[in-house]
Amino acid sequence: MNKKLAWGSAIVVLGGVYAGATWYAGERAQQRYQEALEEVRKVLGAEGVVSQQYQRGFWVSQAQTVLQWTPPAEPAEEGATPVPATPLRLRLDSTVRHGPLAGFKLAAAVVETRMALDGLDEQARKLLERTSAPTLTVVHHWTGSNDMLLEVPAGEVAEGDNLIRWKALRYDMALSADRTRLRGAMQWPELTLRVHDAPSDAQDDEEQEGQEAKVPSTLSMAFSGLRGDFDVRIEDGLWLLTPGTSQGRIDKLTLELEEQGAKSKALAALQDMDFKATIERKDAVFGWNVTMQSKGNIGPMALDRLSLREDVSRIDVEAVRLFQQALVGAYRTGTAADAKNALAPSEAPWLATLAQAAPRLLAALPAYAVEIKATAAGKEGSLSYGAQIKSAPDQALVEEKGWGAALLQHSVLDASVRLPKAWIPLIAEAAGKPVPAPDEVNALLGMAQAQGFLSQETDHIVSSVQVEAGKVRLNGKAIQMPQLGAAQ
């Protein structure tokens, strides 16, 4: 066999192998598409998938899936029949490039999906005219793992004085072959939100009746430089809480309030905000903690350092699973409408599932604690509070006293504050009040201490309160507790 014939034979063989691999990759891509649809149907129900098409090609296939959700009907005036809401449809248009070289990548397939809302009325279309459809690109590797890229282009939605504007959002993710580990990173350069609150017609009527009029106001929030990463493990089908870590940073966060006829008021201006969350599972319970550190201003008060730590422990795994099921059930049956109108759990089965979750949650004796620290004018102050269930209340007590009183008798609530005396003039100034003279401050603190509301240290004032088994202790001394949770 001469060289030309040998090379020609090799090319034919390689071409046949590549064609076979491409055919197999296309077959596998279509199979994965059908498997993904079955997973969607499990969550949304059969009626959630309105239509699906898959046009198989040799190199490239096209797929279209339409998902549907009907929001709850808008509340109607008394005596009127509620007008059914218009169903919302999410159209997913996918281009599937088959391997082994798919989209210039060594992969089984590369799927690019564009998302768009169908069935919008003219007002909704006009509202979204400055937005573009998000895209999801998924690389299916031969090993079974996936790389995913979610991109939301920059856009803006505005209606009157209400506005939300954002720069492009990007998520890069990797899902393991066994679907148990998800890692990724995100970047969101900027977001601006503005919400206008104006008096309603009913409030105008109240004004005419001599009641205090509500002043129109606008709340504005903006952040820049948000980025972060995460690494979580998906266990036993639990997606609401997944063990793992996430961390990130915001370069700048601002919050402002503007009332009609007044200057804009800065509520907060924070920078260099670092945050981290860790979720752990130990046998049958979850626990997690969240930390945040930043600096900047709260109102006119400058903070050299601001930190927060939140701890949650003993959250029953099975209760979380039941809560997941209730969320899916609520979605399928109309959520808000059923919650408002159902007379018995049989009319809204997800309510029965939720009722099963509550005893399990309480039996695990969950606990919650928060500590906030701040440093200003060279002094550190702190605020901490928390709650924990000491024992689960029985159903008879719940029926007799109601959930609020029953939980109070089986729980411990506590809060404490440690405030630098040097902050008192700063707080008064921030609140727009006259700054008290040192003698006035000492007199007021002395009276409060004599009445048991606080105790004084050299540079700080301290106060704590604890509620346990329905009894209240203020700074270690028992006080009478007001009657709460009377039986209905």
Side-chain angles (χ1 to χ4, degrees), residues 444-458:
L444 289 172
L445 293 180
M447 286 189 293
Q449 182 171 356
Q451 295 175 5
F453 292 116
L454 55 84
S455 60
Q456 297 189 63
E457 299 176 353
T458 304

Side-chain angles (χ1 to χ4, degrees), residues 461-474:
I461 56 175
V462 180
S463 184
S464 65
V465 62
Q466 184 183 73
V467 182
E468 183 173 6
K471 298 179 180 179
V472 182
R473 299 183 71 84
L474 179 61

Side-chain angles (χ1 to χ4, degrees), residues 21-42:
T22 300
W23 177 88
Y24 173 77
E27 186 77 13
R28 182 68 183 117
Q30 185 173 2
Q31 182 181 347
R32 285 190 173 187
Y33 172 78
Q34 297 298 337
E35 291 171 354
L37 275 182
E38 289 305 312
E39 292 298 320
V40 171
R41 287 190 175 97
K42 287 179 183 178

